[in-house]
Amino acid sequence: MASTLSPPDLRFVEGFLGDLRNISNEGRKKHSAVKEASETAIVRLRNLSLNGKDVRQSIVSHCLDLLQPILLAAESGNSKLVVLGLQALQRLFSHETIADTSLPVVMSLMWTLMESHTEELKLIQTITVIITSSNILHGEYLAKSLVICLRMHFNKDPVISNTAGAAIRQIVPLLYEKALEESQLRNGDTRLDSDPNFRLGTAVVPSSLGRCGADAYCLLNDLCMIMNGEQHVWLIGMTEMTRVLALELIESILAGHHALFEAKEFLFLLRERLCPLLIKLISPCIRHSRIASSASSTSPSSLIAEKPSFPVTVHLIRTVFVLLVSYSDLLRNETEIFYSLLMKFVDSDKVQWTKLLALDVLFRLLNDSKMVVLISQTYNTKAASEGVFGDLINTINNYIMAVFVRPNSPSSSASTPTSSTSSNGPPVVSTTFAHKDVNIQLVPLGKAALLESRDSEPPVISDNYGMSVAFACLCFVSRTVLDLLEKNPQFDADRTALQTIVQHSWCGMLSAVSSLLEASCDDSVTDSLLQICKVYVRAAGLCRMDTVREAFITALCKAAFPINYTIGILKSASSRLPSLPNDVTSAPINKTSSDGQTIVDPENRNQIVAVGTPLSSSFQGAVMLTSKNITCLNKLLEMTSTLGDLLDSSWILVLASMQHLAWILGINQFVPGLANGLSKQRQRPSENQQSTILTNVMMSDLPELTKRFDEVFQQTRTLTDASLHHVVSALCKLSADASESAAVTREPSLFPVAKLVDVGMVNLFRIEAWWAPVTQNLAIAAGSSNLVLREWGTDAITILVKESLSFDFQQTLLQSSPALQIKILQPLLGLSQIGWSDVRLKLFISLNHVILSSAEKIGSCWKPIVAVIGAVDGINDENLVRAGFKCIQGVVSDHLQNVSFDCVEQCVDAAAKYGNQPQELNVALTAVGLMWNLADHIYQQRATFGVSQERLQNSMLNLYKQLSQLCLDVRPEVRKSAAQTLFLAIASHGSALDIATWNRLVVDICYILLKCLEKYCTTASEDRISDDDDKVIMHHSRDTAKKQWAETWAIVLPAVTKTITGSFTIVLKFKQSQQVWQGLLYHIQRGGISGLEEVSMSALKCVDDILLLSGPTPSENGRSEAQSPHTKSMLDLSVQMLDDLWKCMHSIGIGLIECMKRKTETDSLPSQKLLTLYSTIFRRLNARMGNNFSSNMLKKLHDVFPAVMLPVLHRNAAKILPCKAEISPLQEAVLMIAESLQTEILKPRSATPHLVTELFGLWLKFARQSTSIPVIGRSLAMDPGYLSTWWAATFSLFSETAMQKVYELYTVTHTWKLVMDSDVLSNIIQVR
């Protein structure tokens, strides 16, 4: 036998022979028929195995013979024989050696054993082996086998019942696996062929199905009919069946057999049988909930009648869950209905266990990221906020809100056993969420507590579990969103999935997270909730869902503050959002007292860590921040640092919150770059004396928190230009609000100003992206009426400009871009339009820094810089003047070589303005010196400026004009310095001027200056100027304004004279040179007769200088007076010019006489020195006239001499007269005038002998001085104190000397016919 059978067949035959022997041995004593049948079967089996044919086929052919001992053993009633028989039967079925014709006998045998309750466990095992190990039973026989197991399942013996139940749960899924395998073998596809004659809705089994498929179809159909209360048609003989078991079997059928149900035949069962049935069976749960929540008049019996079965409901929901997970693609409409039913389970009026059961399903669904995506994309035909997925999230939110607002009724208290304390007093759990009387503790979640329950009655489960499930569901959805984000959804499918999830779920998610966040008492839970917010912000930003992003950021920002603290920007952002389901903002869940103050958690779960003053004007009292608020703040800062490019317009919300929190926490703000940064000031003492109070922990964390604040703005360097624009716009808006608050006397927050600087400092490399809006806003702050805000705004602009100029731009961008240079400097220059002196002071200080450190980068911007520096009109602050002057001094001293000619002209005007300013004398004097530097620079570089000659001439003329105006300054020091500088510049640089410019210089500048000086001197006060304590004691010669103006006049007049005489050859080329000459003599004459000693002396010296420069003057002995070795004849004076000069001197003399007539005070009369100088110069002028001296001139001398002679004062006699027996120097000078004329007349070949008679008349007039006192002498003689005041004895000596000169002259000329014909002798006799 070993040589003819294969090893499997051999093992089967040997095993079956062993089974038959065991039956034979067991039936040997009492059951001979069994023994005989067994032996016969053994012989038959051996023969069949030895005939060389297929042993299996042979056994099948003789199956009835071989079954005979088995049947007899089973019918014997002997337990051992029954077991052995069933064991042999299992072997035959396992080796598939049972003929179809034998099946009725076998099934009848097993039915009999079932009914007789014989070896039921072995029978169950046999049926299980038969079905699982072979593919023989089909149709009614398979149904009968299942009925046998089902009937034994309801056996009173729990072992048998449980074993049968296990067998059923094993067999049923196997049948559907066989059906699926059959379909794959028949069609090569998972989809079964459809019967064209099959009509949906009939009870006929589709002919297109195979044997296994038909069995599967009939089984599912019967199970549906059983659950629906209909008569089953396939499981004939089944006497008892529960819905729980049916649902469990259906669940096992549906699980893992999706491919089988793609066929229309099976899909029909799902759509037309199973789904309607499930919906029907679920309905009592909903009806019961409504009844239970209705009026109490309902009878208890009706409640019991309508009360749903907990096990049935659980299995219904489990079946529904399988359909939702695996068949949503086939049953779209049906699964949508199931979702709606699940959501109704969680309605607030439902019993606790139905809510938790539905939440378990949602927990399983949402725990699968693929299911989340599937739900959101499959059921999205509704509006964006009303899709199935959105409704699911809203359902979870509704449950959370219902827990928090649940009334304190007995029925609800039973479902809320968890609190912070037990009935005995000591704490039993720590609270995760706390609201009013509701305390929730999250519990660990493993398997679904209700969905996996096998209990017949619902367990008592608290809200702790439900809230844990709800919270987990929210986290699952957030995790799915995060997974999609981590995939970097650049493909349309991923982006669409992400957008759909966020679009459908954000409303409910926001409401739920906000509620939980307000009630949270656990740091880890709070962090998870904040992470959800961050994930949604990131997703919304990526998908460009501005409303969603703004909503979550608003919620996150609000969580960082106490509930009743309002910020205007956040409030307006909330008002723009659509209505949220159970919006917590409309019904806050925090605890408040009657006066509106937040009540502190009695267990101090969220302890207060900081108490500060509010920035919001709508909040009264101190602001108390808890540890949870600080946690939210940290998450907000983290989100801002990492998601900056996604915030866009929501930056304003984040920055406004940071501003308020920085104020409350007392975080000082600093302007980077300042040596001593300005810290933020607290509330004004008059308004609030309260300062920030921090716990020790908070004080230790504050430096790190401050660092994180700064990092937010440091990270802006990584933002895109668009995101940076949003940041800047937000800060500008906050800065504008701060300026408005400052205008209404409220202390402004300096946060936006400081942070604008921070942002600018780290983004200098892309300065053009933010410069204009930032600096414009800072300029508004700099112009604020609030001192602190104005100071910060100014500092911010100055430091940004400084840093921008010092920044190393790529490829010397700053130097090569004049537009960028102007753009950078424009905000700084714009500060000049602000009238506040402190702003102008910082402007000048900053400009000085720029000039000293960044001059090479200014380039084309020198012109506007100098324009700002020169804008000193109306400044009354000495500090401003000094600061501004440092700037112009730096430009002129160090950078004139780098500026354009236009800028040089501006520097001239600016220096002139600083010279004119009245506040700072030293600045004015130094400014005059700068004008000399400018004049010299223009002269030295005139060939390199590249401008027209006309413009160059006008520029130099303008500089001289500015200096001439400084010569009229009210301060004598400035006038003196300006005059010296003016004429030194003219003398040094006049060679660069053409004739026309020279003409304008002399006429329009010099002569106008002299005219103005005469006017100011004439009208100046003669009151004595009092000495200031801080000044040197003033000399008496300068103790009046008139004397000080006289000093200036005395300086300018000879300088003008020297200027004209020094360039006389140019003057002679003027078209009106004669008028220019006469103009000079006019001003000399006006100075000489001014009545001011100093000016008159200066005028006379001008004439003397002209004489010296006009050529040598003959001496009395006929020889020319030697010129100074440094004097060179430069003036070629014409006869007319000399005549004009003589007339000028004559007019001066007349004027001096008139002055002596008007003034009788000795101190106001012309001095002996002045008159002596006048006489001396006149003598020289007469000599210079030479042959041009006429008799008319000699006659006019009688008008002046000796009338100009004054007596010598007694107090000066010792100084003037070496010996009192001598004449005074003045008298001697007068005598020398006549002697010089006499010498000229008496010299050989003289051209003027005809003047001898007139000369006698002059000498005789001199001789009469002792007897004929002139007018001035008479007026003095009338003074009672004449003799004590004046020394008049010299007049006699003078007359004697003159008479002696008459005698000498007559001795020489008495023989002249002209003398003899005249009455000279008679006149001499009369005098004697």
Side-chain angles (χ1 to χ4, degrees):
M1 182 175 63
S3 61
T4 58
L5 296 178
S6 63
D9 291 341
L10 178 61
R11 288 193 296 270
F12 164 71
V13 171
E14 290 177 349
F16 191 54
L17 285 174
D19 293 335
L20 291 176
R21 292 189 192 101
N22 291 334
I23 293 174
S24 175
N25 292 334
E26 186 63 33
R28 180 175 50 188
K29 297 179 180 180
K30 296 182 180 182
H31 303 282
S32 58
V34 174
K35 177 179 180 297
E36 292 176 359
S38 298
E39 292 176 349
T40 302
I42 290 172
V43 174
R44 179 65 57 87
L45 180 59
R46 287 177 176 173
N47 293 332
L48 292 175
S49 61
L50 295 174
N51 61 10
K53 298 181 180 179
D54 186 358
V55 66
R56 291 188 180 185
Q57 188 62 36
S58 300
I59 293 174
V60 170
S61 301
H62 299 82
C63 183
L64 288 175
D65 296 334
L66 297 176
L67 283 175
Q68 191 62 33
I70 297 174
L71 296 176
L72 292 174
E75 293 172 355
S76 66
N78 185 289
S79 297
K80 290 185 178 181
L81 286 175
V82 172
V83 171
L84 292 173
L86 291 177
Q87 183 177 347
L89 187 62
Q90 291 178 21
R91 195 178 298 277
L92 289 174
F93 273 95
S94 298
H95 211 60
E96 295 186 350
T97 54
I98 296 293
D100 292 341
T101 56
S102 304
L103 290 177
V105 177
V106 175
M107 295 312 302
S108 176
L109 171 64
M110 289 190 291
W111 188 269
T112 302
L113 292 174
M114 179 268 298
E115 289 182 337
S116 63
H117 302 287
T118 303
E119 294 297 332
E120 292 171 312
L121 293 177
K122 192 65 177 179
L123 178 60
I124 295 171
Q125 179 186 12
T126 302
I127 293 175
T128 303
V129 172
I130 290 174
I131 295 175
T132 56
S133 62
S134 66
N135 196 22
I136 298 175
L137 292 182
H138 292 285
E140 59 177 325
Y141 305 114
L142 177 60
K144 205 164 188 177
S145 300
L146 293 174
V147 170
I148 292 172
C149 292
L150 288 170
R151 290 184 64 171
M152 285 189 288
H153 175 63
F154 295 100
N155 194 295
K156 294 181 180 180
D157 187 345
V159 176
I160 296 174
S161 176
N162 292 336
T163 304
I168 293 171
R169 294 180 181 91
Q170 179 182 359
I171 292 171
V172 171
L174 182 62
L175 296 179
Y176 285 84
E177 291 177 4
K178 290 181 178 181
L180 183 58
E181 292 175 358
E182 179 187 63
S183 67
Q184 292 173 344
L185 293 173
R186 293 177 59 200
N187 304 302
D189 192 359
T190 60
R191 183 177 297 275
L192 297 177
D193 291 336
S194 299
D195 183 2
N197 297 321
F198 173 73
R199 291 181 299 166
L200 295 177
T202 64
V204 179
V205 178
S207 60
S208 59
L209 297 177
R211 295 168 62 187
C212 296
D215 294 337
Y217 181 90
C218 292
L219 176 58
L220 180 58
N221 186 51
D222 262 27
L223 290 175
C224 293
M225 295 175 69
I226 291 171
M227 286 194 304
N228 199 30
E230 302 177 15
Q231 183 62 40
H232 45 273
V233 296
W234 191 63
L235 297 174
I236 300 173
M238 186 177 63
T239 58
E240 186 178 2
M241 184 66 172
T242 63
R243 286 181 174 175
V244 173
L245 180 58
L247 288 170
E248 188 175 352
L249 294 177
I250 292 175
E251 180 187 355
S252 65
I253 291 171
L254 296 175
H257 303 104
H258 178 275
L260 183 62
F261 286 90
E262 291 181 355
K264 291 183 179 179
E265 296 83 359
F266 286 94
L267 188 57
F268 158 75
L269 290 177
L270 291 181
R271 287 179 176 172
E272 303 299 328
R273 295 284 188 182
L274 181 59
C275 290
L277 178 61
L278 294 176
I279 294 171
K280 176 182 177 182
L281 295 176
I282 291 174
S283 297
C285 298
I286 302 174
R287 290 199 302 271
H288 169 71
S289 299
R290 291 172 182 166
I291 295 172
S293 61
S294 63
S296 60
S297 61
T298 308
S299 62
S301 60
S302 63
L303 286 174
I304 295 173
E306 292 293 335
K307 181 178 179 180
S309 169
F310 174 71
V312 172
T313 305
V314 169
H315 285 83
L316 280 172
I317 298 302
R318 287 171 60 89
T319 305
V320 168
F321 172 74
V322 174
L323 290 175
L324 295 176
V325 172
S326 302
Y327 295 90
S328 59
D329 57 335
L330 301 177
L331 305 171
R332 186 187 182 285
N333 295 331
E334 290 78 1
T335 51
E336 187 170 359
I337 295 173
F338 290 140
Y339 279 118
S340 64
L341 293 175
L342 281 175
M343 289 183 279
K344 291 180 180 179
F345 270 48
V346 195
D347 287 347
S348 59
D349 58 345
K350 301 301 184 294
V351 294
Q352 180 74 355
W353 65 268
T354 60
K355 297 179 184 179
L356 299 182
L357 184 60
L359 287 175
D360 276 348
V361 175
L362 296 182
F363 176 84
R364 285 193 172 187
L365 290 172
L366 299 179
N367 193 21
D368 186 355
S369 297
K370 293 182 179 179
M371 278 303 302
V372 174
V373 175
L374 180 64
I375 296 171
S376 64
Q377 290 188 319
T378 303
Y379 313 100
N380 60 355
T381 56
K382 295 184 179 181
S385 61
E386 298 178 357
V388 170
F389 185 69
D391 292 341
L392 289 177
I393 304 302
N394 290 339
T395 299
I396 297 173
N397 172 56
N398 293 339
Y399 173 78
I400 294 172
M401 295 301 299
V403 172
F404 283 133
V405 299
R406 182 183 62 253
N408 294 323
S409 62
S411 60
S412 62
S413 62
S415 62
T416 316
T418 305
S419 64
S420 60
T421 59
S422 66
S423 59
N424 296 327
V428 293
V429 292
S430 60
T431 301
T432 305
F433 301 109
H435 166 57
K436 292 185 179 179
D437 297 330
V438 179
N439 295 311
I440 301 296
Q441 168 65 29
L442 295 185
V443 298
L445 297 177
K447 294 183 179 180
L450 291 179
L451 204 58
E452 300 292 340
S453 176
R454 301 293 180 179
D455 299 334
S456 60
E457 293 297 330
V460 178
I461 303 178
S462 69
D463 285 328
N464 290 341
Y465 176 78
M467 286 291 285
S468 300
V469 173
F471 176 71
C473 290
L474 300 179
C475 294
F476 292 156
V477 175
S478 174
R479 182 188 65 191
T480 301
V481 175
L482 182 59
D483 290 342
L484 291 174
L485 288 172
E486 295 299 332
K487 291 181 180 179
N488 192 17
Q490 301 299 327
F491 299 104
D492 292 340
D494 292 335
R495 182 177 289 272
T496 301
L498 177 63
Q499 186 170 0
T500 303
I501 292 176
V502 175
Q503 187 177 25
H504 287 190
S505 65
W506 76 269
C507 286
M509 183 69 74
L510 176 63
S511 180
V513 170
S514 299
S515 302
L516 294 175
L517 198 55
E518 289 183 12
S520 174
C521 302
D522 184 89
D523 291 342
S524 61
V525 172
T526 301
D527 188 69
S528 298
L529 293 170
L530 296 175
Q531 182 64 24
I532 293 175
C533 291
K534 179 181 177 181
V535 168
Y536 267 77
V537 168
R538 179 181 174 186
L542 187 63
C543 296
R544 301 300 179 186
M545 304 171 71
D546 296 342
T547 302
V548 179
R549 181 195 63 236
E550 188 168 306
F552 277 90
I553 291 180
T554 300
L556 187 57
C557 293
K558 285 184 176 180
F561 295 93
I563 184 61
N564 50 347
Y565 190 90
T566 58
I567 301 177
I569 293 176
L570 295 182
K571 188 175 181 180
S572 75
S574 298
S575 65
R576 295 193 299 269
L577 299 178
S579 299
L580 301 182
N582 297 321
D583 189 0
V584 294
T585 59
S586 61
I589 64 173
N590 69 305
K591 294 176 280 187
T592 57
S593 62
S594 58
D595 60 355
Q597 295 295 326
T598 301
I599 298 177
V600 182
D601 185 2
E603 297 185 14
N604 200 26
R605 304 190 190 283
N606 288 316
Q607 63 176 350
I608 295 174
V609 297
V611 178
T613 56
L615 181 60
S616 175
S617 58
S618 62
F619 190 90
Q620 301 299 325
V623 183
M624 292 179 287
L625 296 180
T626 65
S627 57
K628 182 171 69 176
N629 296 138
I630 302 302
T631 301
C632 296
L633 171 59
N634 283 318
K635 180 60 69 173
L636 181 65
L637 296 177
E638 176 191 343
M639 180 196 68
T640 307
S641 298
T642 56
L643 304 181
D645 276 329
L646 301 179
L647 296 184
D648 291 350
S649 59
S650 299
W651 269 103
I652 183 66
L653 306 177
V654 176
L655 295 177
S657 301
M658 293 175 62
Q659 177 187 13
H660 281 254
L661 288 167
W663 179 278
I664 294 170
L665 292 171
I667 297 177
N668 291 336
Q669 307 300 328
F670 295 91
V671 174
L674 293 181
N676 49 349
L678 299 171
S679 62
K680 184 190 77 174
Q681 300 179 3
R682 301 301 304 164
Q683 288 284 79
R684 291 188 296 272
S686 60
E687 293 184 0
N688 198 335
Q689 296 289 346
Q690 194 172 16
S691 60
T692 301
I693 302 175
L694 304 176
T695 63
N696 291 335
V697 175
M698 190 64 216
M699 290 182 66
S700 62
D701 292 342
L702 190 60
E704 180 64 24
L705 187 61
T706 304
K707 181 180 178 181
R708 299 192 68 181
F709 264 76
D710 296 336
E711 287 176 353
V712 170
F713 301 95
Q714 295 294 325
Q715 291 295 326
T716 57
R717 65 164 62 90
T718 63
L719 299 180
T720 63
D721 288 352
S723 298
L724 179 62
H725 172 74
H726 287 294
V727 175
V728 170
S729 298
L731 288 174
C732 289
K733 175 64 169 62
L734 296 178
S735 178
D737 293 343
S739 299
E740 291 179 4
S741 66
V744 293
T745 68
R746 176 174 174 82
E747 184 181 1
S749 169
L750 303 174
F751 176 88
V753 176
K755 299 314 173 186
L756 279 173
V757 179
D758 288 344
V759 171
M761 295 285 280
V762 299
N763 289 279
L764 289 174
F765 62 92
R766 47 176 171 178
I767 190 171
E768 294 183 346
W770 56 269
W771 184 259
V774 168
T775 54
Q776 289 171 6
N777 190 271
L778 292 176
I780 296 175
S784 173
S785 58
N786 183 274
L787 175 61
V788 177
L789 183 61
R790 185 169 68 245
E791 182 181 14
W792 277 64
T794 307
D795 286 338
I797 290 178
T798 56
I799 192 60
L800 283 178
V801 172
K802 291 177 184 177
E803 294 299 324
S804 299
L805 290 175
S806 61
F807 185 75
D808 186 15
F809 288 97
Q810 185 178 6
Q811 297 179 354
T812 63
L813 175 62
L814 186 59
Q815 293 90 331
S816 61
S817 176
L820 181 58
Q821 296 169 358
I822 295 174
K823 188 174 185 178
I824 291 176
L825 287 171
Q826 190 58 45
L828 186 61
L829 303 180
L831 294 177
S832 62
Q833 305 300 321
I834 299 175
W836 299 103
S837 59
D838 55 336
V839 176
R840 296 289 294 276
L841 179 60
K842 291 189 176 183
L843 165 63
F844 287 146
I845 294 174
S846 300
L847 282 177
N848 187 47
H849 174 83
V850 170
I851 293 171
L852 293 177
S853 61
S854 304
E856 71 281 357
K857 297 182 179 180
I858 294 177
S860 60
C861 298
W862 282 108
K863 188 174 181 180
I865 288 178
V866 175
V868 170
I869 297 172
V872 293
D873 297 333
I875 294 180
N876 299 318
D877 191 337
E878 293 182 3
N879 294 328
L880 275 180
V881 172
R882 284 193 290 266
F885 181 71
K886 284 183 180 179
C887 300
I888 191 64
Q889 191 175 22
V891 175
V892 175
S893 301
D894 302 326
H895 303 293
L896 280 182
Q897 299 294 335
N898 303 324
V899 302
S900 64
F901 185 71
D902 292 339
C903 186
V904 172
E905 292 180 320
Q906 282 186 310
C907 289
V908 171
D909 295 336
K913 289 181 180 180
Y914 280 99
N916 282 313
Q917 54 78 31
Q919 283 74 32
E920 182 58 55
L921 175 62
N922 291 332
V923 168
L925 294 174
T926 311
V928 174
L930 291 183
M931 296 191 73
W932 160 256
N933 294 341
L934 289 166
D936 190 63
H937 175 74
I938 294 175
Y939 176 76
Q940 296 291 340
Q941 303 295 326
R942 63 186 184 278
T944 63
F945 286 134
V947 297
S948 64
Q949 186 66 22
E950 180 182 1
R951 183 178 177 184
L952 185 65
Q953 298 288 316
N954 290 336
S955 178
M956 296 181 69
L957 196 64
N958 175 65
L959 187 147
Y960 298 148
K961 185 176 181 180
Q962 298 284 9
L963 282 172
S964 70
Q965 291 175 353
L966 288 174
C967 293
L968 302 176
D969 193 271
V970 295
R971 295 161 295 185
E973 300 89 348
V974 176
R975 294 197 300 268
K976 182 177 181 180
S977 177
Q980 293 172 348
T981 304
L982 170 62
F983 294 103
L984 178 61
I986 293 174
S988 301
H989 312 138
S991 59
L993 301 179
D994 56 23
I995 296 176
T997 306
W998 263 106
N999 191 10
R1000 293 167 58 191
L1001 172 63
V1002 173
V1003 176
D1004 297 338
I1005 295 179
C1006 294
Y1007 288 174
I1008 295 298
L1009 174 60
L1010 289 172
K1011 183 177 180 181
C1012 292
L1013 286 174
E1014 179 184 359
K1015 175 182 175 182
Y1016 293 153
C1017 190
T1018 304
T1019 59
S1021 172
E1022 297 186 24
D1023 296 336
R1024 187 176 183 277
I1025 300 174
S1026 60
D1027 298 328
D1028 294 334
D1029 295 337
D1030 57 343
K1031 294 183 179 179
V1032 179
I1033 297 176
M1034 190 175 297
H1035 192 267
H1036 67 86
S1037 63
R1038 299 289 183 263
D1039 59 356
T1040 67
K1042 181 181 284 293
K1043 291 178 181 179
Q1044 292 174 351
W1045 279 104
E1047 179 190 19
T1048 305
W1049 195 0
I1051 293 174
V1052 171
L1053 182 58
V1056 172
T1057 303
K1058 185 176 181 180
T1059 298
I1060 295 176
T1061 56
S1063 304
F1064 198 70
T1065 55
I1066 298 176
V1067 173
L1068 292 177
K1069 297 179 181 179
F1070 293 173
K1071 292 182 179 180
Q1072 298 178 341
S1073 59
Q1074 187 64 31
Q1075 287 82 347
V1076 172
W1077 172 254
Q1078 292 176 354
L1080 174 61
L1081 298 181
Y1082 168 79
H1083 288 293
I1084 293 174
Q1085 174 190 343
R1086 297 299 299 171
I1089 64 175
S1090 64
L1092 300 172
E1093 179 80 12
E1094 186 175 6
V1095 178
S1096 298
M1097 288 289 291
S1098 177
L1100 292 177
K1101 290 179 179 179
C1102 291
V1103 177
D1104 189 42
D1105 291 340
I1106 293 174
L1107 291 176
L1108 289 175
L1109 294 174
S1110 63
T1113 301
S1115 63
E1116 288 79 358
N1117 54 12
R1119 293 177 298 178
S1120 298
E1121 294 181 357
Q1123 285 184 294
S1124 169
H1126 301 290
T1127 302
K1128 182 180 180 180
S1129 178
M1130 295 185 295
L1131 300 183
D1132 185 13
L1133 298 180
S1134 63
V1135 175
Q1136 182 62 43
M1137 290 181 178
L1138 287 174
D1139 186 64
D1140 293 339
L1141 183 58
W1142 196 94
K1143 291 178 180 179
C1144 175
M1145 284 296 294
H1146 178 267
S1147 298
I1148 292 174
I1150 300 298
L1152 290 175
I1153 295 171
E1154 294 296 326
C1155 178
M1156 288 186 288
K1157 289 179 180 180
R1158 291 193 307 268
K1159 299 179 180 180
T1160 58
E1161 296 181 1
T1162 58
D1163 292 337
S1164 60
L1165 292 173
S1167 65
Q1168 290 285 317
K1169 181 179 180 181
L1170 173 64
L1171 296 176
T1172 302
L1173 177 62
Y1174 174 76
S1175 301
T1176 303
I1177 294 174
F1178 214 128
R1179 174 183 61 80
R1180 296 176 57 201
L1181 177 60
N1182 290 338
R1184 183 70 179 83
M1185 293 296 295
N1187 296 334
N1188 296 318
F1189 191 84
S1190 63
S1191 59
N1192 187 37
M1193 292 180 180
L1194 187 55
K1195 290 179 181 180
K1196 288 184 177 182
L1197 284 180
H1198 292 251
D1199 299 333
V1200 180
F1201 300 102
V1204 297
M1205 289 191 302
L1206 279 177
V1208 179
L1209 290 172
H1210 266 293
R1211 62 174 179 264
N1212 295 330
K1215 298 178 181 178
I1216 297 176
L1217 302 175
C1219 178
K1220 293 185 177 180
E1222 297 180 2
I1223 61 176
S1224 66
L1226 172 60
Q1227 293 170 334
E1228 183 177 359
V1230 171
L1231 291 174
M1232 290 183 66
I1233 293 174
E1235 289 179 1
S1236 64
L1237 291 175
Q1238 179 175 325
T1239 302
E1240 182 66 27
I1241 293 172
L1242 296 180
K1243 69 181 180 179
R1245 292 184 300 276
S1246 172
T1248 59
H1250 59 282
L1251 299 180
V1252 66
T1253 56
E1254 296 295 336
L1255 181 60
F1256 273 110
L1258 181 62
W1259 279 119
L1260 292 175
K1261 190 174 182 179
F1262 290 171
R1264 294 190 187 96
Q1265 280 295 101
S1266 60
T1267 57
S1268 178
I1269 302 176
V1271 177
I1272 183 61
R1274 288 197 299 270
S1275 64
L1276 294 176
M1278 293 175 64
D1279 186 1
Y1282 175 79
L1283 295 177
S1284 61
T1285 303
W1286 300 96
W1287 181 262
T1290 56
F1291 282 96
S1292 298
L1293 295 176
F1294 176 78
S1295 297
E1296 293 177 1
T1297 305
M1299 199 61 201
Q1300 180 65 33
K1301 294 294 181 181
V1302 170
Y1303 172 76
E1304 294 176 356
L1305 178 61
Y1306 189 78
T1307 302
V1308 175
T1309 60
H1310 68 279
T1311 59
W1312 290 13
K1313 185 178 184 305
L1314 184 61
V1315 174
M1316 290 185 297
D1317 292 341
S1318 65
D1319 54 356
V1320 171
L1321 182 60
S1322 174
N1323 291 336
I1324 293 173
I1325 295 172
Q1326 291 179 4
V1327 172
R1328 292 182 63 88

